[in-house]
Amino acid sequence: MYLGRVVGRVWATVKNANLTGQRLLIVQPVTPELKDKGRPIICTDWTGAGAGELIYWTRAREASFAFLPDEVVTDATIVGIVDAIRVKREAHRGDGGSG
Amino acid sequence: MILARVVGTVVATRKDPRLEGKKLLVLKPISPDGKEEAGYVVAVDTVGAGFRETVIAVSGSSARMAEGCRDRPVDTAIVGIVDTVSLDRRE
């Protein structure tokens, strides 16, 4: 799974029937340090995440599993809303410990 | 999924028979604020998208879940025509 932040939303009336009723949110992938990383993508949303929320999403075919038994055509689904992130940065000997 | 703009069509008479009757469109990925991004992709159109329209494209094996794409050699499919894109203002 990947970290991301909800930064917008997309509306589409003409779409595949199994996308009806699905919220399509724009997600900006972020690093554990919450820095933007890579291109924004469009996710279906299983959690009801709101604008600006920190989330994590699942990619590829597994993204549709969140909706089983319904078959929803998606390759990225928000499956969790993040409460907290703790990242322990080990200082490596000899690399100056930077970054 | 990605946002993309329809920029062309592909016509192929000699192709995998399971692609018969499928419209193939050339897509240019775009960012939510409409800027064109690198690369192109050929996608099966399942919603009747027109030239220059902004669409939603699904990739990978999920694309075979698009309407009419089950068990077909498809890894990118257009599954929606975008009405509105709204981006939250970033501080």
Side-chain angles (χ1 to χ4, degrees):
Chain A
M1 274 81 78
Y2 296 88
L3 287 170
R5 185 179 300 286
V6 176
V7 295
R9 187 168 173 182
V10 170
W11 281 269
T13 354
V14 175
K15 55 182 178 254
N16 271 205
N18 64 29
L19 279 174
T20 310
Q22 290 296 339
R23 292 169 79 228
L24 296 171
L25 299 180
I26 305 172
V27 168
Q28 169 59 58
V30 295
T31 64
E33 288 77 25
L34 308 187
K35 292 214 176 23
D36 290 4
K37 189 188 86 173
R39 291 189 202 174
I41 57 159
I42 312 302
C43 288
T44 40
D45 174 28
W46 186 84
T47 60
E53 286 209 273
L54 196 58
I55 54 92
Y56 60 93
W57 50 285
T58 298
R59 232 170 35 89
R61 185 64 185 273
E62 290 68 23
S64 62
F65 290 2
F67 301 100
L68 287 178
D70 298 336
E71 255 213 19
V72 174
V73 53
T74 176
D75 62 13
T77 298
I78 297 171
V79 289
I81 298 178
V82 175
D83 297 323
I85 301 177
R86 270 181 285 283
V87 177
K88 210 160 161 293
R89 286 277 176 222
E90 254 84 32
H92 296 280
R93 264 186 305 280
D95 77 345
S98 62
Chain B
M1 281 70 74
I2 60 163
L3 284 177
R5 186 168 296 133
V6 178
V7 295
T9 59
V10 166
V11 176
T13 37
R14 281 189 55 229
K15 61 189 171 199
D16 185 306
R18 284 164 300 195
L19 285 178
E20 285 304 335
K22 295 285 168 215
K23 207 163 89 174
L24 299 171
L25 297 180
V26 181
L27 302 183
K28 182 73 175 143
I30 58 170
S31 62
D33 51 16
K35 279 201 289 297
E36 291 197 352
E37 291 178 345
Y40 289 88
V41 67
V42 176
V44 166
D45 175 25
T46 71
V47 286
F51 189 61
R52 304 296 308 160
E53 281 196 302
T54 300
V55 295
I56 298 166
V58 63
S59 311
S61 69
S62 301
R64 282 187 288 110
M65 300 171 66
E67 274 161 23
C69 292
R70 185 178 295 280
D71 303 333
R72 295 177 191 272
V74 170
D75 71 354
T76 307
I78 299 169
V79 293
I81 299 176
V82 172
D83 303 324
T84 325
V85 175
S86 92
L87 266 176
D88 309 329
R89 274 167 317 290
R90 297 288 297 270
E91 324 72 57

